[in-house]
Amino acid sequence: MSEPEVLDGRQQRGRDTRAHIIAAATEQFCESGYRAGSLRDIAARAGMTHPGVLYHFPTKEALLMAVLERRDQMGALDNPVRSELGREALRSMVGAAEKNETQRALVELFATLSAEATNADHPAHDYFVGRYERLLASLIGAYEVARDAGDLVEGVDPEVAAAQLIALLDGLQVQWLLGTLPAPMGRIVTAHLDAQLREPLH
Amino acid sequence: MSEPEVLDGRQQRGRDTRAHIIAAATEQFCESGYRAGSLRDIAARAGMTHPGVLYHFPTKEALLMAVLERRDQMGALDNPVRSELGREALRSMVGAAEKNETQRALVELFATLSAEATNADHPAHDYFVGRYERLLASLIGAYEVARDAGDLVEGVDPEVAAAQLIALLDGLQVQWLLGTLPAPMGRIVTAHLDAQLREPLH
DNA sequence: AAGTTTCCTTACCGCATGGTAAGTTTCGGC
DNA sequence: GCCGAAACTTACCATGCGGTAAGGAAACTT
């Protein structure tokens, strides 16, 4: 993305501790959320003091953004929404939901954060707006492709359906975290999609 | 609920300021969330100092619980889920969603709080678990009644459908708060329910 | 070997928080 | 009119926060 090139020993080392700090911060934010997770805790996890962390990331806010961006990079690799696949793109969301059931801490972070970030003053507000817009656009695309391929039940509006699917996934996570979900997320999402598709998944 | 009876003048006054404080706290929590809304801010809103507040509510946590309980009492009056109405109970959820679109601050509070409360250590954890369990049970009941009345499309499982509806409502609120929702909540919820019902809602 | 830059520590700052202690005002009951 | 409890206020505390300043120790360049 930026400068690949040759990096001398110091740059390499800097990069390493940066990554190390991000990992520590991710853990911390996952366990305690953004506001409650202090720089001192994060620093301790990374084996340094909190001004050491602030040397690499000028503010706590910057650290948060770094955590989120890194998370996105990784997520984007194994979980893109390939709109052009239409029906199969929708199917992949079931897999995403099931995968989340194995990453409780991460789910907790995003659930907490996306709610916090609802406030326009929150540092991650723009990030989440952008994230939701992109996801929405992708899913609308996927539904449109599915519709044009004749895979959709009559009366399913791609825009509405896309917003529904995102909401469903988000909302289910809260219930799952609270332990009040009466069935596995995968099954619930599958049931939702099956009601929109001419041929059920599988 | 507890002792109604005769209350002498002082008790009456105590009750009044208590109510006043709860109102102030509700406003404050709505605007800033639980963690960020300080006792001093709340006290200022109520026209007193923060130890004054703590005289009536021993801890901030207790204040929060009082706010939530009061909210539930009021909500229960104009927005019960009357399971026995089946189809019409489901329909009432559309109204609930639309009503929420006029109460941004309150929606924000519950969205933030339910995510925060996901953590088992959070003071409101048990409250939200109970709340979701009751709502789930009510909606399962409503779907069962609807099914037995022949109002449901084949293959709609009441348990799954109830969890879906709750998730949908929660998730839509986040998107609505972020400003990324492509259509009014009422329309999106209606579309969802119409897909489950033999006869569309109006 | 000297100089420079990167990285990190120790020490500190100002501020806000929830909560406490003790004293003071208010006011209804007698 | 006085008493005593209820309802506060003022003053304070310890704690933890994000962030800054200054200095030292490496690591690399020349």
Side-chain angles (χ1 to χ4, degrees):
Chain A
M1 193 162 285
S2 40
E3 342 77 57
E5 287 85 23
V6 195
L7 20 88
D8 68 19
R10 318 188 271 201
Q11 285 172 330
Q12 182 55 47
R13 183 180 167 196
R15 225 162 245 252
D16 285 354
T17 46
R18 249 184 87 98
H20 193 188
I21 290 170
I22 289 181
T26 303
E27 285 177 34
Q28 187 64 43
F29 287 153
C30 283
E31 288 177 21
S32 320
Y34 171 62
R35 298 217 155 97
S38 82
L39 288 177
R40 283 169 175 85
D41 292 340
I42 293 165
R45 241 184 240 260
M48 36 191 302
T49 59
H50 87 275
V53 170
L54 287 170
Y55 171 78
H56 294 278
F57 303 92
T59 65
K60 189 186 183 183
E61 201 176 307
L63 218 200
L64 172 62
M65 296 310 292
V67 167
L68 292 177
E69 274 158 23
R70 162 131 180 94
R71 209 63 234 176
D72 264 9
Q73 279 171 28
M74 298 189 52
L77 295 178
D78 55 0
N79 185 28
V81 179
R82 312 259 307 162
S83 304
E84 69 275 16
L85 296 181
R87 183 194 149 87
E88 286 310 310
L90 300 179
R91 175 190 181 64
S92 77
M93 298 304 284
V94 176
E98 279 165 349
K99 185 177 169 191
N100 280 347
E101 252 164 340
T102 68
Q103 304 182 326
R104 181 177 169 105
L106 201 64
V107 170
E108 212 160 328
L109 175 63
F110 271 86
T112 307
L113 227 50
S114 60
E116 267 185 20
T118 267
N119 187 308
D121 299 338
H122 195 282
H125 179 78
D126 291 347
Y127 169 85
F128 273 99
V129 170
R131 183 175 215 270
Y132 274 87
E133 279 174 351
R134 284 196 306 274
L135 184 55
L136 183 69
S138 293
L139 287 180
I140 291 174
Y143 272 106
E144 284 171 345
V145 169
R147 180 195 56 194
D148 295 347
D151 285 337
L152 284 196
V153 163
E154 202 78 17
V156 174
D157 175 354
E159 273 199 348
V160 169
Q164 281 175 342
L165 184 54
I166 295 173
L168 186 69
L169 291 167
D170 280 357
L172 288 178
Q173 286 179 359
V174 171
Q175 290 180 66
W176 175 68
L177 288 170
L178 282 172
T180 60
L181 208 58
M185 284 203 276
R187 219 187 100 201
I188 300 181
V189 175
T190 302
H192 177 76
L193 290 175
D194 279 348
Q196 299 177 323
L197 294 169
R198 281 226 151 82
E199 304 269 327
L201 298 168
H202 287 225
Chain B
M1 197 161 285
S2 40
E3 342 76 60
E5 287 84 29
V6 195
L7 21 87
D8 68 20
R10 316 189 272 202
Q11 283 171 333
Q12 181 54 48
R13 183 182 166 198
R15 225 162 246 252
D16 285 353
T17 45
R18 250 183 86 97
H20 193 190
I21 291 170
I22 289 181
T26 303
E27 285 178 34
Q28 187 64 44
F29 286 154
C30 283
E31 288 177 21
S32 319
Y34 171 62
R35 298 218 155 97
S38 81
L39 288 178
R40 282 168 176 85
D41 292 340
I42 293 165
R45 241 183 240 260
M48 37 191 300
T49 59
H50 87 276
V53 171
L54 286 170
Y55 171 78
H56 294 279
F57 303 92
T59 66
K60 188 186 184 185
E61 202 176 307
L63 218 200
L64 172 62
M65 296 310 293
V67 167
L68 293 177
E69 274 157 24
R70 164 134 179 92
R71 207 63 235 175
D72 263 9
Q73 279 171 29
M74 298 189 52
L77 294 178
D78 55 0
N79 184 28
V81 178
R82 313 256 310 159
S83 304
E84 70 275 17
L85 297 181
R87 185 194 148 88
E88 286 310 310
L90 300 179
R91 175 186 180 64
S92 76
M93 298 306 284
V94 176
E98 279 164 350
K99 186 178 169 192
N100 280 346
E101 251 163 341
T102 67
Q103 303 182 325
R104 181 178 168 102
L106 201 65
V107 171
E108 211 160 329
L109 174 64
F110 271 86
T112 308
L113 228 49
S114 61
E116 268 185 19
T118 266
N119 187 307
D121 298 339
H122 195 282
H125 179 78
D126 291 347
Y127 169 85
F128 273 99
V129 170
R131 188 186 156 87
Y132 273 87
E133 279 173 351
R134 284 196 305 275
L135 183 55
L136 183 68
S138 293
L139 287 180
I140 291 174
Y143 272 108
E144 283 172 346
V145 170
R147 181 194 54 194
D148 295 347
D151 285 338
L152 284 196
V153 162
E154 202 77 16
V156 175
D157 174 355
E159 275 201 344
V160 169
Q164 281 175 342
L165 185 54
I166 296 174
L168 186 68
L169 291 168
D170 280 358
L172 287 178
Q173 285 179 358
V174 172
Q175 290 179 66
W176 175 68
L177 289 169
L178 282 172
T180 61
L181 208 58
M185 283 201 277
R187 218 187 100 203
I188 299 181
V189 175
T190 302
H192 176 77
L193 289 175
D194 279 349
Q196 300 177 322
L197 294 170
R198 281 226 151 83
E199 303 272 326
L201 298 168
H202 285 218

